């Protein structure tokens, strides 16, 4: 039976006002320092011709981040679980801020690749650490919404930061843009340290009613999971085919996701004739629609206990929009299709990351989420690199690259439909949501 009947009539909601906003701003800054390269790269050759960065090199510079990104995924998750998510994040925040500033000091492509790789290493442990933090503050019935509200930092970062990067590029060198945009994480680390707590009992601002509600719900969720899941630890998680299916889905999805987000400003640069300010503002439009899509889809997913269709349908929509967008060459229509594609590609975030907690105990949840994010995000290397390579061999045309991205998104949707089981209601035992 659900514990909902025993809960107070009105549960205090401070966790939504304290944990989520601080985490949103933190990861917005991470995403800015990760993705500002997409806005800056098209202008580097223009300002520094000696750098001589070809389209394939642009893809490599964008993608090498994700090779480094996988290094601290599992260690970061385990440290967050066993030590402190709060401390892991603040340390990594300071480290990535310094390295982001160093991007402005590179003198050639090899140096650029090294710095971007190191940036990926430091940012890599942040995502799983925050997922561990959210799992300690939000019961499973709230998890898709909590995940999505935090992950709104991804499109929100582009809505706010892309115009800023474009405006800075219009008056400063690309080197100074990197330096300036690396400073905010160092400042926000102070806010993070004083506001965030690892668990409800440690937070001074949480009421007794809210703390008791969270802890009771989380304990009930753990008790409802099969006893067999408690045995075997990390080794069991590694042997569980459900985890590897989620990795496959995430890899295919991230290939399309990061390929799209990295190459969107380049497409808009061609559409606007190269005006960096216009590129910045136009880049923000699709991400504004993505933000709305993430919230609506996650609310629907929690309301219907359905992660399967909340992941599969949006990625299919995104794939169709990407391909049609390359066949229609009417500027206004292209912008609309980019908006549709952005909604489809971003909307599954909250529901997807609620899936592992449906069948994993808390003792191995962090490890498995880190593994999914580490290996799945290798798609972030594949997507930009393949798009850049295809653009080079096709004489600068985008169609082949975007068809490739669409195929990967379709693959993610097909595997999701074939393997993810709908969650049952609170009054029935929670099944494993992925077929073994």
């Amino acid at each position: 039976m659900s514990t909902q009947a025993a809960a107070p009539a009105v549960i205090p909601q401070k966790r939504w006002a304290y944990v989520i906003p601080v985490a949103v701003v933190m990861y917005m800054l991470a995403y800015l320092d990760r993705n500002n390269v997409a806005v800056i790269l098209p202008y580097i050759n223009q300002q520094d011709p000696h750098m001589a960065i070809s389209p394939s090199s642009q893809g490599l510079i964008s993608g090498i981040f994700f090779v480094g990104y996988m290094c601290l995924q599992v260690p970061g998750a385990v440290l967050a679980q066993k030590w402190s998510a709060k401390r892991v994040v603040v340390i990594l925040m300071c480290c990535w801020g310094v390295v982001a500033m160093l991007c402005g000091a590179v003198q050639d492509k090899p140096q650029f690749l090294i710095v971007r790789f190191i940036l990926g290493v430091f940012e890599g442990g942040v995502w799983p650490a925050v997922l561990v933090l959210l799992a300690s503050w939000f019961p499973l019935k709230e998890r898709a919404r909590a995940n999505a509200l935090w992950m709104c930092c991804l499109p929100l970062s582009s809505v706010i930061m892309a115009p800023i990067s474009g405006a800075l590029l219009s008056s400063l060198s690309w080197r100074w843009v990197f330096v300036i945009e690396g400073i905010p994480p160092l400042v926000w680390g102070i806010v993070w340290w004083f506001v965030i707590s690892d668990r409800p009992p440690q937070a001074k601002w949480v009421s007794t009613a809210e703390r008791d509600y969270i802890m009771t719900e989380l304990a009930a969720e753990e008790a409802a999971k099969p006893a067999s899941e408690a045995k075997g630890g990390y080794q069991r998680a590694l042997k569980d085919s459900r985890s590897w299916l989620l990795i496959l889905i995430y890899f295919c999805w991230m290939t399309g996701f990061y390929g799209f987000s990295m190459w969107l400003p380049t497409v808009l640069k061609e559409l606007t004739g190269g005006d960096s300010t216009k590129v910045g503002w136009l880049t923000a439009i699709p991400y504004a629609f993505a933000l709305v899509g993430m919230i609506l889809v996650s609310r629907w997913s929690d309301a219907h206990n359905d992660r399967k269709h909340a992941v599969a349908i949006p990625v299919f929509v995104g794939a169709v929009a990407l391909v049609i967008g390359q066949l229609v060459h009417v500027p206004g229509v292209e912008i609309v299709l980019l908006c549709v594609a952005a909604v489809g590609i971003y909307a599954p975030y909250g529901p997807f990351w609620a899936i592992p907690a449906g069948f994993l105990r808390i003792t191995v949840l962090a490890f498995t989420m880190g593994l999914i994010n580490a290996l799945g995000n290798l798609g972030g290397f594949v997507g930009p690199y393949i798009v850049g390579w295809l653009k080079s061999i096709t004489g600068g045309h985008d169609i082949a690259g975007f068809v490739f991205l669409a195929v990967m998104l379709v693959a993610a949707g097909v595997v999701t439909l074939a393997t993810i089981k709908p969650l049952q209601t609170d009054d029935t035992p929670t099944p494993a949501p992925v077929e073994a």
Side-chain angles (χ1 to χ4, degrees):
M1 292 295 291
S2 169
T3 61
Q4 184 64 32
V10 178
I11 302 298
Q13 302 288 313
K14 280 191 175 182
R15 62 192 180 281
W16 297 94
Y18 279 74
V19 178
I20 297 295
V22 175
V24 165
V25 174
M26 179 277 298
Y27 211 76
M28 278 177 59
L29 299 176
Y31 209 64
L32 166 67
D33 288 331
R34 174 189 315 182
N35 272 13
N36 59 3
V37 71
V39 177
I40 294 170
L41 276 174
Y43 298 92
I44 289 180
N45 286 343
Q46 179 180 320
Q47 295 184 8
D48 282 323
H50 73 278
M51 294 287 286
I53 299 177
S54 65
S56 60
S57 294
Q58 290 184 28
L60 186 59
I61 289 169
S62 298
I64 196 69
F65 171 95
F66 295 97
V67 179
Y69 189 76
M70 70 176 183
C71 295
L72 287 185
Q73 289 290 317
V74 173
V78 174
L79 273 175
Q81 181 70 54
K82 293 185 175 296
W83 179 43
S84 167
K86 170 183 176 176
R87 289 176 171 81
V88 168
V89 171
V90 79
I91 291 170
L92 293 176
M93 203 183 312
C94 295
C95 292
W96 102 57
V98 172
V99 175
M101 296 170 69
L102 289 177
C103 288
V106 299
Q107 299 299 316
D108 52 36
K109 188 178 77 172
Q111 290 182 11
F112 213 156
L113 291 171
I114 292 170
V115 174
R116 285 283 298 175
F117 174 85
I118 297 172
L119 180 66
V121 171
F122 288 134
E123 282 201 26
V126 176
W127 182 272
V130 176
L131 286 172
V132 169
L133 183 75
L134 296 183
S136 298
W137 278 98
F138 299 93
L140 191 57
K141 66 183 69 175
E142 301 173 346
R143 196 72 54 78
R145 282 171 290 162
N147 287 346
L149 285 172
W150 167 52
M151 295 172 191
C152 280
C153 59
L154 306 183
L156 190 59
S157 175
S158 297
V159 169
I160 297 174
M161 304 303 184
I164 293 175
S165 295
L168 288 174
L169 277 169
S170 66
S171 57
L172 298 172
S173 75
W174 63 271
R175 296 183 183 279
W176 275 109
V177 176
F178 275 126
V179 172
I180 291 171
E181 293 182 343
I183 295 173
L186 305 179
V187 177
W188 196 251
I190 300 172
V191 178
W192 175 275
W193 182 258
F194 285 104
V195 175
I196 296 298
S197 297
D198 284 300
R199 294 173 181 83
Q202 300 170 355
K204 295 180 180 179
W205 48 262
V206 72
S207 67
T208 301
E210 186 170 10
R211 180 196 63 210
D212 291 346
Y213 164 74
I214 297 169
M215 301 308 291
T216 299
E217 287 289 324
L218 294 178
E221 290 170 7
E222 286 297 294
K225 293 170 186 174
S228 60
E229 296 293 344
K231 301 176 182 179
Y234 299 152
Q235 186 177 11
R236 179 180 178 84
L238 284 171
K239 292 180 178 180
D240 196 327
S241 62
R242 298 170 296 185
S243 300
W244 291 98
L245 285 168
L246 289 175
I247 290 170
L248 176 61
I249 294 169
Y250 202 55
F251 174 84
C252 294
W253 174 24
M254 288 298 101
T255 299
F257 176 94
Y258 280 110
F260 167 77
S261 62
M262 288 292 187
W263 285 96
L264 172 63
T266 301
V267 174
L268 292 179
K269 179 174 180 287
E270 296 171 356
L271 200 63
T272 60
D275 187 312
S276 63
T277 302
K278 288 182 180 178
V279 169
W281 282 108
L282 285 176
T283 298
I285 295 174
Y287 291 114
F289 281 90
L291 177 65
V292 175
M294 288 179 71
I295 294 173
L296 294 179
V297 170
S298 67
R299 288 176 65 87
W300 181 90
S301 177
D302 273 348
H304 294 83
N305 292 311
D306 188 344
R307 314 304 187 198
K308 176 179 183 175
H309 295 98
V311 173
I313 293 175
V315 295
F316 286 143
V317 171
V320 172
L322 279 182
V323 174
I324 295 177
Q326 301 309 302
L327 302 176
V328 177
H329 300 292
V330 179
V333 177
E334 286 184 290
I335 295 296
V336 170
L337 290 168
L338 283 170
C339 291
V340 174
V343 170
I345 289 170
Y346 275 86
Y349 257 113
F352 177 87
W353 284 109
I355 294 172
F359 69 95
L360 291 169
R361 287 187 174 271
I362 195 67
T363 51
V364 295
L365 179 61
F367 171 83
T368 307
M369 289 194 301
L371 187 67
I372 292 169
N373 205 40
L375 300 182
N377 261 300
L378 287 176
F381 173 80
V382 173
Y385 182 73
I386 294 296
V387 169
W389 176 72
L390 288 172
K391 190 170 184 176
S392 294
I393 66 173
T394 58
H397 298 293
D398 293 316
I399 181 69
F402 277 86
V403 168
F404 166 74
L405 301 180
V407 168
M408 296 302 290
L409 290 172
V410 169
V414 169
V415 177
T416 299
L417 289 178
T419 62
I420 303 296
K421 291 182 179 179
L423 295 176
Q424 296 185 10
T425 63
D426 289 332
D427 294 323
T428 58
T430 302
V434 184
E435 294 177 351

